[in-house]
Amino acid sequence: MNNQKIILYFSGGTMQGVFGAGVVTALERENCYDAIEAVYSTSAGSLVGAYFLARQSGLGSSIYLEDLSRGFISPRRFFLGIYDRLYDHYIRYRPRDTWRNAIDIEYLFDIVAHKKPLAIDVLNKQDIPLFVKLINLHTRRLEYHDVRGAHAVTWLRAAVDVMPYTTELQYVDGVPYADAGIKEVIGIDTLVARHPHNPIVIVLNSHERRRISHVLKNKVEGYFVSITGAPDLAPPFYSAEKRLRAELVRIQAMEQVYLWAIPEQVQIRSRTTSKLVLEQTYKAGIRAGMEIVEQIRTLQMQ
C-alpha cells in the first residue's frame, strides 16, 4: 500500500456525527487532502464530508456545537409523529405532509444555506469525490452518487432524509431518493471491491460495542417504516444490527481497513442535544483524527 491514497468513510448517526466533525477538523488542520482518494458517507456523515471537502470543517462542526442542540430534534414532535402515523394506519387517512417529524430537515438546511453556508462552488471544483449512499425509491436499490455537480444540495438533503424520522423525499430527474444507511450500514465489501488496493479508513459515528438497545431501536424503526407505506423496506431495519456486527467482525480481519469509533466512555446517543456531551464527543473526534493523521503518515512511509 506504499503511497496509496486512502478512502475515507463517515457513517451516519444523527447527533453522533459530531464525532466525525471532530475527525475532519483534525484532518483539515493537518492538510491531509493530498492523501485522500475519495470520501464515502451516509446520513450525518455526508454533511461532515461536504464541509470537510469545502475546507470548512470548523464551520460545519459549529453547526453541531451551536445550532442543533435546539430546534433540530424534538421529543415533542417525535411523539406527535408517532400519533400521526398510527392514526393514519389504524384509524383514518391523514395526509403525509401533515405528519409531524422528529427531525427538522428544513431547519438544518436553512443553516447550511444561510447561517453557515456550505461553499458549494468549492465543493464542486475540488478533486476529491464525495459519494453519498442513497436508496432509489423507484427501484428500491442502493446507489452511490458523487454530490459534485448541479444536484449537490439535493443529494445532501436526500442523504439526511432518515426514515422513519422524516417524511421528506428528494427528487432528481423525477426519481425519489432517501438515506440508505439502513440498507448497507457500513458497506465494507462495496468499498473494498471499488478500491481493492487502497487503505480504507472507517469513521463510525457510533460505539463499536453494540447493545440490545441498538437492536430494539432498529425493530421499532422497521415497524414504523412498515406502516407508513414501505413494508418492503422494513426487513433491512430488522436485520441491520446483525449485519453491522458481522461487518465489524470482518473489518477486524482486513489488513487494509482501519476503524475509529466513538470511545465507550463518551456517552452520546443519536438524539443527544446536551452541549457538554456534544463538545466531549467533538474533542474525542479530534483526538481520533490526529490518530488517523499518524496512520496516514505511517502508510506513506511503508
Side-chain angles (χ1 to χ4, degrees), residues 68 84 148 183 200 229 233 238 266:
L68 298 189
D84 292 337
R148 296 175 300 173
K183 292 274 285 186
I200 298 171
L233 295 179
Y238 300 145
V266 179

Side-chain angles (χ1 to χ4, degrees), residues 184-214:
E184 188 184 72
V185 183
I186 294 176
I188 191 59
D189 294 333
T190 300
L191 294 175
V192 171
R194 284 184 165 217
H195 305 279
H197 305 298
N198 296 82
I200 298 171
V201 172
I202 305 295
V203 178
L204 185 66
N205 289 313
S206 183
H207 298 100
E208 187 174 2
R209 180 183 176 186
R210 312 308 296 170
R211 295 176 171 83
I212 188 64
S213 59
H214 295 117

Side-chain angles (χ1 to χ4, degrees), residues 21-33:
V23 169
V24 297
T25 297
L27 296 181
E28 183 173 336
R29 286 176 183 172
E30 298 298 318
N31 194 25
C32 290
Y33 295 99

Side-chain angles (χ1 to χ4, degrees), residues 64-175:
Y64 281 103
L65 301 174
E66 299 173 0
D67 301 293
L68 298 189
S69 60
R70 295 184 64 184
F72 177 53
I73 295 178
S74 168
R76 180 174 181 272
R77 290 199 309 267
F78 172 77
F79 288 108
L80 289 172
I82 289 176
Y83 171 80
D84 292 337
R85 288 154 175 80
L86 292 175
Y87 188 94
D88 175 80
H89 186 71
Y90 291 107
I91 301 175
R92 186 181 303 165
Y93 169 75
R94 175 165 288 191
R96 193 180 184 92
D97 59 5
T98 67
W99 295 0
R100 272 71 61 97
N101 294 314
I103 297 174
D104 191 339
I105 302 299
E106 288 295 333
Y107 174 80
L108 171 61
F109 273 84
D110 183 66
I111 295 170
V112 171
H114 301 110
K115 186 176 181 181
K116 296 180 177 177
L118 173 65
I120 296 293
D121 56 337
V122 177
L123 176 63
N124 284 338
K125 291 176 182 177
Q126 55 85 43
D127 294 329
I128 302 171
L130 171 60
F131 294 102
V132 294
K133 188 186 306 184
L134 303 172
I135 181 170
N136 179 321
L137 291 171
H138 277 174
T139 65
R140 294 306 207 242
R141 293 180 178 176
L142 185 149
E143 299 176 1
Y144 285 85
H145 290 275
D146 184 351
V147 304
R148 296 175 300 173
H151 299 300
V153 174
T154 305
W155 291 133
L156 291 171
R157 284 186 70 117
V160 297
D161 282 347
V162 182
M163 297 181 289
Y165 298 103
T166 176
T167 54
E168 282 197 28
L169 297 177
Q170 303 302 319
Y171 290 80
V172 175
D173 297 327
V175 178

